[in-house]
Amino acid sequence: MSNGIREAARPDRPLRIAVQLAPEHARYSTIRDAVARLEDMGVDVLFNWDHFFPLTGDRDGLHFEAWTMVAAWAEQTSRVEFGSLVSCNSYRNANLQADMARTIDHISARDGGQGRFIFGTGAGWFERDYDEYGFEFGTPGSRLNALARDMPVIEQRWAKLNPPPTRRIPVLIGGGGVRKTLRIVAEHADIWHSFSSPEVLAEKLQVLRMHADAVGRDVSEIEVSVELRRASDADADALLDLGATFFTIGLRGPEYDFEKVARWLRWRDERSRG
């Protein structure tokens, strides 16, 4: 692209497909089997989400907690990276989050290698989670201010822990707010995740570039992640042309659509060869 947006992705960055397994309406044995199948299929990253209740269907239906689940995935899997898309910063002390992330990082390491945990984080938004579990909901602004306050604390704790993380744990920040969220992304994220269309992504990448310039950071260091949802191949190709290299697919239980995943894995492999 002549406007230089394509620079937002490093030319040597691999194209990746992630699957978010919503931890709702399925027994854990079903989720565990799905994790094994998706890793065998060749998915690059597996995510859950960090809520306490289902977001669709029966709002009091089956549901499981995020961090304990990804700790189990750390032990179960051997190749995929994984995490929550995204963990809610409001629910846990910042130092504790850092320690949990470091521990899961070590659990996931194999044969002296590096861990595979991705620290996804965001400001939170689902009011029922806060009300029923006794957390202060606040406002979008106050929750984003807390995320901006806590990210340096998390990074500093990683530098103090013994043993330290096995690698520099990748930070994924979700959200698209142009004034606060993208500023936090520019300062702290290795991966930025959004639900953008090609048109919206083009606009927000320009804003992200401005924030990166303001904090003295090379925007090409930030991997661009986009949720595919109902995207066509043409939509995904347009997002790829804009610099996205990390594409996520949401699956909801109890019956997971593995063919949808297979389709996008074929797309990944075709574009990677091209």
Side-chain angles (χ1 to χ4, degrees):
M1 286 200 153
S2 59
N3 61 10
I5 293 175
R6 189 66 183 86
E7 296 174 14
R10 292 188 182 278
D12 59 347
R13 183 171 281 143
L15 181 57
R16 301 202 284 174
I17 294 292
V19 172
Q20 183 188 50
L21 281 173
E24 60 174 10
H25 306 309
R27 298 193 180 280
Y28 188 70
S29 58
T30 302
I31 296 172
R32 182 175 56 234
D33 291 347
V35 167
R37 180 168 177 177
L38 290 164
E39 183 172 41
D40 288 344
M41 288 175 67
V43 167
D44 298 293
V45 182
L46 289 171
F47 291 118
N48 60 17
W49 68 34
D50 190 17
H51 295 288
F52 303 130
F53 303 95
L55 300 183
T56 65
D58 179 1
R59 299 307 175 96
D60 292 311
L62 299 176
H63 200 277
F64 293 98
E65 193 277 327
W67 277 81
T68 47
M69 180 181 290
V70 295
W73 292 3
E75 195 66 72
Q76 176 186 348
T77 60
S78 61
R79 179 190 58 79
V80 292
E81 291 188 276
F82 61 91
S84 290
L85 188 65
V86 289
S87 181
C88 178
N89 180 67
S90 306
Y91 303 157
R92 303 165 190 91
N93 169 276
N95 286 285
L96 175 61
Q97 291 183 74
D99 205 340
M100 291 191 300
R102 180 280 312 255
T103 299
I104 294 173
D105 167 72
H106 276 266
I107 294 170
S108 67
R110 296 290 179 271
D111 301 323
Q114 293 185 331
R116 294 170 286 115
F117 181 68
I118 294 173
F119 181 72
T121 190
W125 63 273
F126 189 43
E127 189 168 2
R128 184 184 181 189
D129 289 333
Y130 290 80
D131 290 346
E132 294 217 23
Y133 276 60
F135 298 109
E136 181 181 351
F137 187 54
T139 66
S142 69
R143 295 193 298 275
L144 281 167
N145 290 341
L147 180 62
R149 176 200 67 209
D150 289 345
M151 281 308 306
V153 176
I154 291 165
E155 294 164 348
Q156 291 161 15
R157 179 56 57 187
W158 280 336
K160 298 175 183 176
L161 289 169
N162 183 17
T166 67
R167 63 172 180 169
R168 184 180 181 277
I169 296 175
V171 172
L172 179 154
I173 294 177
V178 297
R179 188 169 66 88
K180 289 188 175 182
T181 303
L182 291 182
R183 175 73 178 211
I184 300 169
V185 170
E187 292 178 329
H188 300 286
D190 301 289
I191 306 165
W192 166 52
H193 178 78
S194 73
F195 294 85
S196 301
S197 67
E199 295 75 19
V200 171
L201 184 65
E203 295 173 0
K204 293 199 173 181
L205 282 172
Q206 296 288 18
V207 175
L208 179 59
R209 184 182 303 280
M210 288 189 292
H211 283 304
D213 288 344
V215 301
R217 190 167 180 208
D218 181 352
V219 74
S220 70
E221 297 174 359
I222 303 169
E223 188 171 12
V224 178
S225 168
V226 184
E227 168 69 41
L228 286 168
R229 286 191 170 178
R230 291 174 292 277
S232 65
D233 283 14
D235 294 330
D237 288 341
L239 293 165
L240 180 62
D241 286 341
L242 286 166
T245 57
F246 192 132
F247 295 86
T248 65
I249 305 159
L251 295 186
R252 299 181 186 276
E255 300 295 330
Y256 297 115
D257 186 357
F258 295 106
E259 179 49 42
K260 179 180 180 181
V261 177
R263 172 205 163 195
W264 285 111
L265 290 175
R266 290 191 294 269
W267 175 86
R268 177 199 66 186
D269 295 343
E270 290 167 1
R271 300 308 185 271
S272 297
R273 288 194 297 269

